[in-house]
PDB file of all heavy atoms in Angstrom:
ATOM      1  N   PHE A   1      -8.551 -18.201  -6.448  1.00 97.00           N
ATOM      2  CA  PHE A   1      -9.246 -17.037  -5.907  1.00 97.00           C
ATOM      3  C   PHE A   1      -8.594 -16.431  -4.663  1.00 97.00           C
ATOM      4  O   PHE A   1      -9.152 -15.518  -4.059  1.00 97.00           O
ATOM      5  CB  PHE A   1     -10.709 -17.401  -5.596  1.00 97.00           C
ATOM      6  CG  PHE A   1     -11.543 -17.608  -6.830  1.00 97.00           C
ATOM      7  CD1 PHE A   1     -12.009 -18.871  -7.167  1.00 97.00           C
ATOM      8  CD2 PHE A   1     -11.846 -16.551  -7.670  1.00 97.00           C
ATOM      9  CE1 PHE A   1     -12.780 -19.062  -8.299  1.00 97.00           C
ATOM     10  CE2 PHE A   1     -12.612 -16.723  -8.809  1.00 97.00           C
ATOM     11  CZ  PHE A   1     -13.079 -17.987  -9.127  1.00 97.00           C
ATOM     12  N   ASN A   2      -7.430 -16.922  -4.249  1.00 98.00           N
ATOM     13  CA  ASN A   2      -6.733 -16.296  -3.133  1.00 98.00           C
ATOM     14  C   ASN A   2      -5.232 -16.300  -3.403  1.00 98.00           C
ATOM     15  O   ASN A   2      -4.785 -16.783  -4.459  1.00 98.00           O
ATOM     16  CB  ASN A   2      -7.074 -17.005  -1.817  1.00 98.00           C
ATOM     17  CG  ASN A   2      -6.673 -18.471  -1.806  1.00 98.00           C
ATOM     18  OD1 ASN A   2      -5.810 -18.908  -2.561  1.00 98.00           O
ATOM     19  ND2 ASN A   2      -7.310 -19.259  -0.933  1.00 98.00           N
ATOM     20  N   LEU A   3      -4.470 -15.770  -2.468  1.00 98.00           N
ATOM     21  CA  LEU A   3      -3.017 -15.724  -2.626  1.00 98.00           C
ATOM     22  C   LEU A   3      -2.360 -16.953  -2.008  1.00 98.00           C
ATOM     23  O   LEU A   3      -2.888 -17.554  -1.064  1.00 98.00           O
ATOM     24  CB  LEU A   3      -2.456 -14.459  -1.985  1.00 98.00           C
ATOM     25  CG  LEU A   3      -2.812 -13.131  -2.667  1.00 98.00           C
ATOM     26  CD1 LEU A   3      -2.182 -11.966  -1.917  1.00 98.00           C
ATOM     27  CD2 LEU A   3      -2.388 -13.113  -4.138  1.00 98.00           C
ATOM     28  N   GLU A   4      -1.220 -17.305  -2.554  1.00 98.00           N
ATOM     29  CA  GLU A   4      -0.455 -18.455  -2.060  1.00 98.00           C
ATOM     30  C   GLU A   4      -0.144 -18.255  -0.568  1.00 98.00           C
ATOM     31  O   GLU A   4       0.059 -17.144  -0.101  1.00 98.00           O
ATOM     32  CB  GLU A   4       0.831 -18.570  -2.889  1.00 98.00           C
ATOM     33  CG  GLU A   4       1.601 -19.849  -2.692  1.00 98.00           C
ATOM     34  CD  GLU A   4       2.567 -19.744  -1.530  1.00 98.00           C
ATOM     35  OE1 GLU A   4       3.101 -18.639  -1.308  1.00 98.00           O
ATOM     36  OE2 GLU A   4       2.765 -20.770  -0.845  1.00 98.00           O
ATOM     37  N   LYS A   5      -0.120 -19.346   0.188  1.00 98.00           N
ATOM     38  CA  LYS A   5      -0.126 -19.268   1.648  1.00 98.00           C
ATOM     39  C   LYS A   5       1.059 -18.499   2.233  1.00 98.00           C
ATOM     40  O   LYS A   5       0.898 -17.693   3.152  1.00 98.00           O
ATOM     41  CB  LYS A   5      -0.196 -20.677   2.249  1.00 98.00           C
ATOM     42  CG  LYS A   5      -1.547 -21.324   2.080  1.00 98.00           C
ATOM     43  CD  LYS A   5      -1.584 -22.740   2.621  1.00 98.00           C
ATOM     44  CE  LYS A   5      -2.214 -22.773   3.996  1.00 98.00           C
ATOM     45  NZ  LYS A   5      -2.480 -24.168   4.461  1.00 98.00           N
ATOM     46  N   SER A   6       2.259 -18.711   1.733  1.00 97.00           N
ATOM     47  CA  SER A   6       3.411 -18.013   2.306  1.00 97.00           C
ATOM     48  C   SER A   6       3.368 -16.519   1.985  1.00 97.00           C
ATOM     49  O   SER A   6       3.692 -15.678   2.836  1.00 97.00           O
ATOM     50  CB  SER A   6       4.724 -18.626   1.795  1.00 97.00           C
ATOM     51  OG  SER A   6       4.855 -18.460   0.394  1.00 97.00           O
ATOM     52  N   VAL A   7       2.948 -16.178   0.778  1.00 97.00           N
ATOM     53  CA  VAL A   7       2.787 -14.769   0.398  1.00 97.00           C
ATOM     54  C   VAL A   7       1.698 -14.124   1.243  1.00 97.00           C
ATOM     55  O   VAL A   7       1.849 -13.000   1.757  1.00 97.00           O
ATOM     56  CB  VAL A   7       2.447 -14.651  -1.104  1.00 97.00           C
ATOM     57  CG1 VAL A   7       2.136 -13.207  -1.474  1.00 97.00           C
ATOM     58  CG2 VAL A   7       3.584 -15.189  -1.964  1.00 97.00           C
ATOM     59  N   ARG A   8       0.599 -14.835   1.377  1.00 98.00           N
ATOM     60  CA  ARG A   8      -0.529 -14.375   2.188  1.00 98.00           C
ATOM     61  C   ARG A   8      -0.102 -14.104   3.629  1.00 98.00           C
ATOM     62  O   ARG A   8      -0.418 -13.054   4.199  1.00 98.00           O
ATOM     63  CB  ARG A   8      -1.624 -15.435   2.153  1.00 98.00           C
ATOM     64  CG  ARG A   8      -2.864 -15.128   2.965  1.00 98.00           C
ATOM     65  CD  ARG A   8      -3.700 -16.395   3.164  1.00 98.00           C
ATOM     66  NE  ARG A   8      -3.826 -17.185   1.957  1.00 98.00           N
ATOM     67  CZ  ARG A   8      -4.265 -18.444   1.944  1.00 98.00           C
ATOM     68  NH1 ARG A   8      -4.602 -19.052   3.074  1.00 98.00           N
ATOM     69  NH2 ARG A   8      -4.357 -19.114   0.807  1.00 98.00           N
ATOM     70  N   GLN A   9       0.619 -15.038   4.204  1.00 98.00           N
ATOM     71  CA  GLN A   9       1.030 -14.907   5.595  1.00 98.00           C
ATOM     72  C   GLN A   9       1.935 -13.700   5.795  1.00 98.00           C
ATOM     73  O   GLN A   9       1.795 -12.944   6.765  1.00 98.00           O
ATOM     74  CB  GLN A   9       1.738 -16.182   6.062  1.00 98.00           C
ATOM     75  CG  GLN A   9       2.030 -16.225   7.553  1.00 98.00           C
ATOM     76  CD  GLN A   9       0.769 -16.257   8.399  1.00 98.00           C
ATOM     77  OE1 GLN A   9      -0.228 -16.868   8.007  1.00 98.00           O
ATOM     78  NE2 GLN A   9       0.796 -15.591   9.546  1.00 98.00           N
ATOM     79  N   GLU A  10       2.851 -13.508   4.865  1.00 97.00           N
ATOM     80  CA  GLU A  10       3.749 -12.358   4.955  1.00 97.00           C
ATOM     81  C   GLU A  10       2.989 -11.048   4.914  1.00 97.00           C
ATOM     82  O   GLU A  10       3.259 -10.124   5.699  1.00 97.00           O
ATOM     83  CB  GLU A  10       4.769 -12.416   3.813  1.00 97.00           C
ATOM     84  CG  GLU A  10       5.779 -11.290   3.835  1.00 97.00           C
ATOM     85  CD  GLU A  10       6.781 -11.366   2.689  1.00 97.00           C
ATOM     86  OE1 GLU A  10       6.895 -12.445   2.058  1.00 97.00           O
ATOM     87  OE2 GLU A  10       7.435 -10.345   2.421  1.00 97.00           O
ATOM     88  N   LEU A  11       2.017 -10.952   4.002  1.00 98.00           N
ATOM     89  CA  LEU A  11       1.221  -9.728   3.892  1.00 98.00           C
ATOM     90  C   LEU A  11       0.342  -9.541   5.122  1.00 98.00           C
ATOM     91  O   LEU A  11       0.226  -8.424   5.643  1.00 98.00           O
ATOM     92  CB  LEU A  11       0.362  -9.768   2.623  1.00 98.00           C
ATOM     93  CG  LEU A  11       1.079  -9.462   1.313  1.00 98.00           C
ATOM     94  CD1 LEU A  11       0.172  -9.751   0.129  1.00 98.00           C
ATOM     95  CD2 LEU A  11       1.553  -8.010   1.274  1.00 98.00           C
ATOM     96  N   MET A  12      -0.288 -10.615   5.585  1.00 98.00           N
ATOM     97  CA  MET A  12      -1.161 -10.497   6.760  1.00 98.00           C
ATOM     98  C   MET A  12      -0.378 -10.002   7.965  1.00 98.00           C
ATOM     99  O   MET A  12      -0.850  -9.134   8.708  1.00 98.00           O
ATOM    100  CB  MET A  12      -1.834 -11.835   7.062  1.00 98.00           C
ATOM    101  CG  MET A  12      -2.896 -12.240   6.058  1.00 98.00           C
ATOM    102  SD  MET A  12      -3.906 -13.655   6.576  1.00 98.00           S
ATOM    103  CE  MET A  12      -2.670 -14.914   6.895  1.00 98.00           C
ATOM    104  N   GLU A  13       0.798 -10.544   8.155  1.00 97.00           N
ATOM    105  CA  GLU A  13       1.613 -10.129   9.295  1.00 97.00           C
ATOM    106  C   GLU A  13       2.065  -8.675   9.150  1.00 97.00           C
ATOM    107  O   GLU A  13       2.077  -7.912  10.125  1.00 97.00           O
ATOM    108  CB  GLU A  13       2.816 -11.061   9.443  1.00 97.00           C
ATOM    109  CG  GLU A  13       2.430 -12.457   9.916  1.00 97.00           C
ATOM    110  CD  GLU A  13       3.614 -13.394  10.022  1.00 97.00           C
ATOM    111  OE1 GLU A  13       4.759 -12.951   9.760  1.00 97.00           O
ATOM    112  OE2 GLU A  13       3.406 -14.576  10.356  1.00 97.00           O
ATOM    113  N   LYS A  14       2.430  -8.297   7.932  1.00 97.00           N
ATOM    114  CA  LYS A  14       2.848  -6.906   7.687  1.00 97.00           C
ATOM    115  C   LYS A  14       1.680  -5.947   7.951  1.00 97.00           C
ATOM    116  O   LYS A  14       1.836  -4.909   8.607  1.00 97.00           O
ATOM    117  CB  LYS A  14       3.344  -6.761   6.240  1.00 97.00           C
ATOM    118  CG  LYS A  14       3.815  -5.364   5.885  1.00 97.00           C
ATOM    119  CD  LYS A  14       4.355  -5.299   4.463  1.00 97.00           C
ATOM    120  CE  LYS A  14       5.718  -5.933   4.346  1.00 97.00           C
ATOM    121  NZ  LYS A  14       6.341  -5.674   3.021  1.00 97.00           N
ATOM    122  N   PHE A  15       0.495  -6.310   7.464  1.00 97.00           N
ATOM    123  CA  PHE A  15      -0.680  -5.463   7.664  1.00 97.00           C
ATOM    124  C   PHE A  15      -1.062  -5.401   9.146  1.00 97.00           C
ATOM    125  O   PHE A  15      -1.380  -4.330   9.673  1.00 97.00           O
ATOM    126  CB  PHE A  15      -1.863  -5.990   6.849  1.00 97.00           C
ATOM    127  CG  PHE A  15      -1.715  -5.829   5.357  1.00 97.00           C
ATOM    128  CD1 PHE A  15      -2.510  -6.571   4.486  1.00 97.00           C
ATOM    129  CD2 PHE A  15      -0.802  -4.945   4.816  1.00 97.00           C
ATOM    130  CE1 PHE A  15      -2.398  -6.428   3.116  1.00 97.00           C
ATOM    131  CE2 PHE A  15      -0.675  -4.790   3.444  1.00 97.00           C
ATOM    132  CZ  PHE A  15      -1.471  -5.536   2.590  1.00 97.00           C
ATOM    133  N   HIS A  16      -1.043  -6.547   9.790  1.00 96.00           N
ATOM    134  CA  HIS A  16      -1.410  -6.587  11.214  1.00 96.00           C
ATOM    135  C   HIS A  16      -0.455  -5.726  12.037  1.00 96.00           C
ATOM    136  O   HIS A  16      -0.892  -4.938  12.890  1.00 96.00           O
ATOM    137  CB  HIS A  16      -1.400  -8.035  11.711  1.00 96.00           C
ATOM    138  CG  HIS A  16      -1.538  -8.173  13.189  1.00 96.00           C
ATOM    139  ND1 HIS A  16      -2.649  -7.729  13.883  1.00 96.00           N
ATOM    140  CD2 HIS A  16      -0.685  -8.679  14.127  1.00 96.00           C
ATOM    141  CE1 HIS A  16      -2.484  -7.966  15.163  1.00 96.00           C
ATOM    142  NE2 HIS A  16      -1.309  -8.533  15.335  1.00 96.00           N
ATOM    143  N   LYS A  17       0.820  -5.862  11.799  1.00 95.00           N
ATOM    144  CA  LYS A  17       1.822  -5.097  12.534  1.00 95.00           C
ATOM    145  C   LYS A  17       1.643  -3.592  12.331  1.00 95.00           C
ATOM    146  O   LYS A  17       1.842  -2.793  13.252  1.00 95.00           O
ATOM    147  CB  LYS A  17       3.222  -5.520  12.100  1.00 95.00           C
ATOM    148  CG  LYS A  17       4.346  -4.823  12.854  1.00 95.00           C
ATOM    149  CD  LYS A  17       5.714  -5.317  12.404  1.00 95.00           C
ATOM    150  CE  LYS A  17       6.836  -4.604  13.144  1.00 95.00           C
ATOM    151  NZ  LYS A  17       8.171  -5.063  12.662  1.00 95.00           N
ATOM    152  N   ALA A  18       1.235  -3.203  11.112  1.00 95.00           N
ATOM    153  CA  ALA A  18       1.062  -1.779  10.799  1.00 95.00           C
ATOM    154  C   ALA A  18      -0.283  -1.235  11.269  1.00 95.00           C
ATOM    155  O   ALA A  18      -0.504  -0.025  11.221  1.00 95.00           O
ATOM    156  CB  ALA A  18       1.201  -1.561   9.293  1.00 95.00           C
ATOM    157  N   GLY A  19      -1.179  -2.114  11.696  1.00 95.00           N
ATOM    158  CA  GLY A  19      -2.485  -1.663  12.164  1.00 95.00           C
ATOM    159  C   GLY A  19      -3.522  -1.494  11.073  1.00 95.00           C
ATOM    160  O   GLY A  19      -4.508  -0.763  11.256  1.00 95.00           O
ATOM    161  N   VAL A  20      -3.348  -2.154   9.940  1.00 97.00           N
ATOM    162  CA  VAL A  20      -4.353  -2.094   8.869  1.00 97.00           C
ATOM    163  C   VAL A  20      -5.656  -2.688   9.395  1.00 97.00           C
ATOM    164  O   VAL A  20      -5.664  -3.771   9.991  1.00 97.00           O
ATOM    165  CB  VAL A  20      -3.871  -2.867   7.618  1.00 97.00           C
ATOM    166  CG1 VAL A  20      -4.975  -2.918   6.569  1.00 97.00           C
ATOM    167  CG2 VAL A  20      -2.609  -2.226   7.051  1.00 97.00           C
ATOM    168  N   LYS A  21      -6.760  -1.964   9.190  1.00 97.00           N
ATOM    169  CA  LYS A  21      -8.054  -2.410   9.707  1.00 97.00           C
ATOM    170  C   LYS A  21      -8.764  -3.364   8.751  1.00 97.00           C
ATOM    171  O   LYS A  21      -9.447  -4.295   9.202  1.00 97.00           O
ATOM    172  CB  LYS A  21      -8.953  -1.196   9.960  1.00 97.00           C
ATOM    173  CG  LYS A  21      -8.582  -0.378  11.176  1.00 97.00           C
ATOM    174  CD  LYS A  21      -8.953  -1.104  12.462  1.00 97.00           C
ATOM    175  CE  LYS A  21      -8.655  -0.248  13.681  1.00 97.00           C
ATOM    176  NZ  LYS A  21      -9.498   0.931  13.773  1.00 97.00           N
ATOM    177  N   ALA A  22      -8.664  -3.104   7.447  1.00 98.00           N
ATOM    178  CA  ALA A  22      -9.440  -3.909   6.511  1.00 98.00           C
ATOM    179  C   ALA A  22      -8.779  -3.931   5.143  1.00 98.00           C
ATOM    180  O   ALA A  22      -8.126  -2.968   4.740  1.00 98.00           O
ATOM    181  CB  ALA A  22     -10.866  -3.372   6.392  1.00 98.00           C
ATOM    182  N   VAL A  23      -8.976  -5.055   4.448  1.00 98.00           N
ATOM    183  CA  VAL A  23      -8.588  -5.207   3.050  1.00 98.00           C
ATOM    184  C   VAL A  23      -9.856  -5.487   2.262  1.00 98.00           C
ATOM    185  O   VAL A  23     -10.609  -6.420   2.589  1.00 98.00           O
ATOM    186  CB  VAL A  23      -7.591  -6.370   2.857  1.00 98.00           C
ATOM    187  CG1 VAL A  23      -7.257  -6.549   1.377  1.00 98.00           C
ATOM    188  CG2 VAL A  23      -6.330  -6.139   3.675  1.00 98.00           C
ATOM    189  N   PHE A  24     -10.124  -4.681   1.237  1.00 99.00           N
ATOM    190  CA  PHE A  24     -11.295  -4.865   0.378  1.00 99.00           C
ATOM    191  C   PHE A  24     -10.841  -5.369  -0.989  1.00 99.00           C
ATOM    192  O   PHE A  24      -9.904  -4.816  -1.576  1.00 99.00           O
ATOM    193  CB  PHE A  24     -12.063  -3.548   0.218  1.00 99.00           C
ATOM    194  CG  PHE A  24     -12.780  -3.114   1.458  1.00 99.00           C
ATOM    195  CD1 PHE A  24     -12.134  -2.350   2.425  1.00 99.00           C
ATOM    196  CD2 PHE A  24     -14.103  -3.462   1.668  1.00 99.00           C
ATOM    197  CE1 PHE A  24     -12.789  -1.951   3.583  1.00 99.00           C
ATOM    198  CE2 PHE A  24     -14.777  -3.064   2.817  1.00 99.00           C
ATOM    199  CZ  PHE A  24     -14.110  -2.314   3.777  1.00 99.00           C
ATOM    200  N   SER A  25     -11.512  -6.391  -1.480  1.00 98.00           N
ATOM    201  CA  SER A  25     -11.117  -6.974  -2.768  1.00 98.00           C
ATOM    202  C   SER A  25     -12.338  -7.443  -3.540  1.00 98.00           C
ATOM    203  O   SER A  25     -13.491  -7.316  -3.086  1.00 98.00           O
ATOM    204  CB  SER A  25     -10.162  -8.153  -2.544  1.00 98.00           C
ATOM    205  OG  SER A  25     -10.860  -9.232  -1.955  1.00 98.00           O
ATOM    206  N   GLY A  26     -12.085  -8.020  -4.722  1.00 98.00           N
ATOM    207  CA  GLY A  26     -13.124  -8.622  -5.559  1.00 98.00           C
ATOM    208  C   GLY A  26     -12.657  -9.990  -6.005  1.00 98.00           C
ATOM    209  O   GLY A  26     -12.330 -10.845  -5.212  1.00 98.00           O
ATOM    210  N   HIS A  27     -12.648 -10.201  -7.347  1.00 98.00           N
ATOM    211  CA  HIS A  27     -12.044 -11.377  -7.984  1.00 98.00           C
ATOM    212  C   HIS A  27     -12.889 -12.650  -7.877  1.00 98.00           C
ATOM    213  O   HIS A  27     -12.924 -13.445  -8.807  1.00 98.00           O
ATOM    214  CB  HIS A  27     -10.652 -11.625  -7.397  1.00 98.00           C
ATOM    215  CG  HIS A  27      -9.843 -12.675  -8.106  1.00 98.00           C
ATOM    216  ND1 HIS A  27      -9.627 -12.656  -9.469  1.00 98.00           N
ATOM    217  CD2 HIS A  27      -9.180 -13.768  -7.641  1.00 98.00           C
ATOM    218  CE1 HIS A  27      -8.861 -13.689  -9.805  1.00 98.00           C
ATOM    219  NE2 HIS A  27      -8.582 -14.379  -8.708  1.00 98.00           N
ATOM    220  N   CYS A  28     -13.575 -12.843  -6.773  1.00 98.00           N
ATOM    221  CA  CYS A  28     -14.280 -14.096  -6.523  1.00 98.00           C
ATOM    222  C   CYS A  28     -15.650 -14.146  -7.184  1.00 98.00           C
ATOM    223  O   CYS A  28     -16.205 -15.221  -7.383  1.00 98.00           O
ATOM    224  CB  CYS A  28     -14.415 -14.306  -5.014  1.00 98.00           C
ATOM    225  SG  CYS A  28     -15.047 -15.908  -4.520  1.00 98.00           S
ATOM    226  N   HIS A  29     -16.221 -12.990  -7.526  1.00 98.00           N
ATOM    227  CA  HIS A  29     -17.569 -12.891  -8.091  1.00 98.00           C
ATOM    228  C   HIS A  29     -18.605 -13.482  -7.135  1.00 98.00           C
ATOM    229  O   HIS A  29     -19.673 -13.940  -7.537  1.00 98.00           O
ATOM    230  CB  HIS A  29     -17.647 -13.552  -9.469  1.00 98.00           C
ATOM    231  CG  HIS A  29     -16.812 -12.867 -10.501  1.00 98.00           C
ATOM    232  ND1 HIS A  29     -17.345 -12.081 -11.502  1.00 98.00           N
ATOM    233  CD2 HIS A  29     -15.466 -12.836 -10.682  1.00 98.00           C
ATOM    234  CE1 HIS A  29     -16.368 -11.612 -12.262  1.00 98.00           C
ATOM    235  NE2 HIS A  29     -15.220 -12.050 -11.775  1.00 98.00           N
ATOM    236  N   ARG A  30     -18.281 -13.468  -5.849  1.00 98.00           N
ATOM    237  CA  ARG A  30     -19.165 -13.877  -4.760  1.00 98.00           C
ATOM    238  C   ARG A  30     -18.773 -13.049  -3.542  1.00 98.00           C
ATOM    239  O   ARG A  30     -17.633 -12.611  -3.423  1.00 98.00           O
ATOM    240  CB  ARG A  30     -18.984 -15.357  -4.391  1.00 98.00           C
ATOM    241  CG  ARG A  30     -19.105 -16.344  -5.530  1.00 98.00           C
ATOM    242  CD  ARG A  30     -18.672 -17.727  -5.044  1.00 98.00           C
ATOM    243  NE  ARG A  30     -18.628 -18.728  -6.102  1.00 98.00           N
ATOM    244  CZ  ARG A  30     -17.579 -18.946  -6.905  1.00 98.00           C
ATOM    245  NH1 ARG A  30     -16.484 -18.211  -6.771  1.00 98.00           N
ATOM    246  NH2 ARG A  30     -17.623 -19.878  -7.818  1.00 98.00           N
ATOM    247  N   ASN A  31     -19.704 -12.883  -2.619  1.00 98.00           N
ATOM    248  CA  ASN A  31     -19.359 -12.251  -1.347  1.00 98.00           C
ATOM    249  C   ASN A  31     -18.715 -13.272  -0.418  1.00 98.00           C
ATOM    250  O   ASN A  31     -19.148 -14.434  -0.361  1.00 98.00           O
ATOM    251  CB  ASN A  31     -20.613 -11.673  -0.683  1.00 98.00           C
ATOM    252  CG  ASN A  31     -21.076 -10.401  -1.347  1.00 98.00           C
ATOM    253  OD1 ASN A  31     -20.279  -9.509  -1.616  1.00 98.00           O
ATOM    254  ND2 ASN A  31     -22.372 -10.317  -1.626  1.00 98.00           N
ATOM    255  N   ALA A  32     -17.669 -12.850   0.268  1.00 98.00           N
ATOM    256  CA  ALA A  32     -16.966 -13.725   1.198  1.00 98.00           C
ATOM    257  C   ALA A  32     -16.218 -12.841   2.184  1.00 98.00           C
ATOM    258  O   ALA A  32     -16.332 -11.615   2.158  1.00 98.00           O
ATOM    259  CB  ALA A  32     -16.007 -14.657   0.442  1.00 98.00           C
ATOM    260  N   GLY A  33     -15.444 -13.482   3.057  1.00 98.00           N
ATOM    261  CA  GLY A  33     -14.633 -12.700   3.980  1.00 98.00           C
ATOM    262  C   GLY A  33     -14.355 -13.423   5.280  1.00 98.00           C
ATOM    263  O   GLY A  33     -14.937 -14.473   5.578  1.00 98.00           O
ATOM    264  N   GLY A  34     -13.442 -12.856   6.051  1.00 98.00           N
ATOM    265  CA  GLY A  34     -13.047 -13.415   7.330  1.00 98.00           C
ATOM    266  C   GLY A  34     -12.130 -12.431   8.036  1.00 98.00           C
ATOM    267  O   GLY A  34     -12.083 -11.248   7.678  1.00 98.00           O
ATOM    268  N   SER A  35     -11.377 -12.916   9.023  1.00 98.00           N
ATOM    269  CA  SER A  35     -10.496 -12.015   9.757  1.00 98.00           C
ATOM    270  C   SER A  35      -9.230 -12.732  10.205  1.00 98.00           C
ATOM    271  O   SER A  35      -9.200 -13.967  10.336  1.00 98.00           O
ATOM    272  CB  SER A  35     -11.213 -11.430  10.976  1.00 98.00           C
ATOM    273  OG  SER A  35     -11.541 -12.447  11.906  1.00 98.00           O
ATOM    274  N   TYR A  36      -8.199 -11.927  10.437  1.00 98.00           N
ATOM    275  CA  TYR A  36      -6.915 -12.405  10.929  1.00 98.00           C
ATOM    276  C   TYR A  36      -6.383 -11.406  11.941  1.00 98.00           C
ATOM    277  O   TYR A  36      -6.050 -10.265  11.578  1.00 98.00           O
ATOM    278  CB  TYR A  36      -5.922 -12.562   9.773  1.00 98.00           C
ATOM    279  CG  TYR A  36      -4.489 -12.825  10.216  1.00 98.00           C
ATOM    280  CD1 TYR A  36      -4.089 -14.101  10.567  1.00 98.00           C
ATOM    281  CD2 TYR A  36      -3.559 -11.788  10.294  1.00 98.00           C
ATOM    282  CE1 TYR A  36      -2.776 -14.347  10.990  1.00 98.00           C
ATOM    283  CE2 TYR A  36      -2.256 -12.022  10.709  1.00 98.00           C
ATOM    284  CZ  TYR A  36      -1.877 -13.307  11.061  1.00 98.00           C
ATOM    285  OH  TYR A  36      -0.596 -13.542  11.484  1.00 98.00           O
ATOM    286  N   GLU A  37      -6.370 -11.775  13.196  1.00 97.00           N
ATOM    287  CA  GLU A  37      -5.794 -10.936  14.248  1.00 97.00           C
ATOM    288  C   GLU A  37      -6.314  -9.494  14.193  1.00 97.00           C
ATOM    289  O   GLU A  37      -5.553  -8.526  14.294  1.00 97.00           O
ATOM    290  CB  GLU A  37      -4.265 -10.933  14.141  1.00 97.00           C
ATOM    291  CG  GLU A  37      -3.626 -12.296  14.261  1.00 97.00           C
ATOM    292  CD  GLU A  37      -3.683 -12.865  15.663  1.00 97.00           C
ATOM    293  OE1 GLU A  37      -3.926 -12.090  16.605  1.00 97.00           O
ATOM    294  OE2 GLU A  37      -3.485 -14.084  15.817  1.00 97.00           O
ATOM    295  N   GLY A  38      -7.616  -9.343  13.995  1.00 95.00           N
ATOM    296  CA  GLY A  38      -8.210  -8.019  13.946  1.00 95.00           C
ATOM    297  C   GLY A  38      -8.217  -7.366  12.583  1.00 95.00           C
ATOM    298  O   GLY A  38      -8.804  -6.285  12.410  1.00 95.00           O
ATOM    299  N   LEU A  39      -7.562  -7.980  11.605  1.00 98.00           N
ATOM    300  CA  LEU A  39      -7.568  -7.491  10.227  1.00 98.00           C
ATOM    301  C   LEU A  39      -8.748  -8.128   9.505  1.00 98.00           C
ATOM    302  O   LEU A  39      -8.830  -9.355   9.400  1.00 98.00           O
ATOM    303  CB  LEU A  39      -6.263  -7.871   9.527  1.00 98.00           C
ATOM    304  CG  LEU A  39      -6.200  -7.698   8.010  1.00 98.00           C
ATOM    305  CD1 LEU A  39      -6.251  -6.223   7.624  1.00 98.00           C
ATOM    306  CD2 LEU A  39      -4.946  -8.353   7.434  1.00 98.00           C
ATOM    307  N   GLU A  40      -9.665  -7.322   8.998  1.00 98.00           N
ATOM    308  CA  GLU A  40     -10.829  -7.859   8.296  1.00 98.00           C
ATOM    309  C   GLU A  40     -10.547  -7.990   6.801  1.00 98.00           C
ATOM    310  O   GLU A  40     -10.040  -7.061   6.173  1.00 98.00           O
ATOM    311  CB  GLU A  40     -12.061  -6.974   8.513  1.00 98.00           C
ATOM    312  CG  GLU A  40     -13.318  -7.584   7.908  1.00 98.00           C
ATOM    313  CD  GLU A  40     -14.589  -6.788   8.170  1.00 98.00           C
ATOM    314  OE1 GLU A  40     -14.482  -5.631   8.629  1.00 98.00           O
ATOM    315  OE2 GLU A  40     -15.676  -7.322   7.888  1.00 98.00           O
ATOM    316  N   MET A  41     -10.865  -9.144   6.244  1.00 98.00           N
ATOM    317  CA  MET A  41     -10.770  -9.380   4.801  1.00 98.00           C
ATOM    318  C   MET A  41     -12.187  -9.360   4.236  1.00 98.00           C
ATOM    319  O   MET A  41     -13.026 -10.192   4.600  1.00 98.00           O
ATOM    320  CB  MET A  41     -10.117 -10.742   4.554  1.00 98.00           C
ATOM    321  CG  MET A  41      -9.930 -11.126   3.085  1.00 98.00           C
ATOM    322  SD  MET A  41      -8.746 -10.113   2.201  1.00 98.00           S
ATOM    323  CE  MET A  41      -9.816  -9.255   1.033  1.00 98.00           C
ATOM    324  N   VAL A  42     -12.459  -8.382   3.356  1.00 98.00           N
ATOM    325  CA  VAL A  42     -13.799  -8.203   2.789  1.00 98.00           C
ATOM    326  C   VAL A  42     -13.739  -8.495   1.295  1.00 98.00           C
ATOM    327  O   VAL A  42     -13.020  -7.821   0.554  1.00 98.00           O
ATOM    328  CB  VAL A  42     -14.320  -6.773   3.021  1.00 98.00           C
ATOM    329  CG1 VAL A  42     -15.752  -6.640   2.509  1.00 98.00           C
ATOM    330  CG2 VAL A  42     -14.233  -6.394   4.496  1.00 98.00           C
ATOM    331  N   VAL A  43     -14.481  -9.494   0.868  1.00 98.00           N
ATOM    332  CA  VAL A  43     -14.526  -9.890  -0.543  1.00 98.00           C
ATOM    333  C   VAL A  43     -15.910  -9.552  -1.086  1.00 98.00           C
ATOM    334  O   VAL A  43     -16.914 -10.094  -0.610  1.00 98.00           O
ATOM    335  CB  VAL A  43     -14.239 -11.393  -0.711  1.00 98.00           C
ATOM    336  CG1 VAL A  43     -14.179 -11.759  -2.195  1.00 98.00           C
ATOM    337  CG2 VAL A  43     -12.946 -11.786  -0.007  1.00 98.00           C
ATOM    338  N   SER A  44     -15.962  -8.662  -2.064  1.00 98.00           N
ATOM    339  CA  SER A  44     -17.237  -8.213  -2.610  1.00 98.00           C
ATOM    340  C   SER A  44     -17.525  -8.879  -3.946  1.00 98.00           C
ATOM    341  O   SER A  44     -16.635  -9.043  -4.782  1.00 98.00           O
ATOM    342  CB  SER A  44     -17.237  -6.696  -2.797  1.00 98.00           C
ATOM    343  OG  SER A  44     -17.179  -6.040  -1.546  1.00 98.00           O
ATOM    344  N   SER A  45     -18.785  -9.236  -4.137  1.00 98.00           N
ATOM    345  CA  SER A  45     -19.199  -9.821  -5.398  1.00 98.00           C
ATOM    346  C   SER A  45     -19.184  -8.769  -6.498  1.00 98.00           C
ATOM    347  O   SER A  45     -18.835  -7.609  -6.277  1.00 98.00           O
ATOM    348  CB  SER A  45     -20.583 -10.463  -5.269  1.00 98.00           C
ATOM    349  OG  SER A  45     -20.829 -11.332  -6.359  1.00 98.00           O
TER     350      SER A  45
END
């Protein structure tokens, strides 16, 4: 239900550096979420 850690880290750093505010996704069929250096990860059921 998530991305492999090295791929994830690369994307998070790229998004953070560019000032991305939020990533919205699904896939989990549950609500979830968290944050990384001001980048919000929103997982919708």
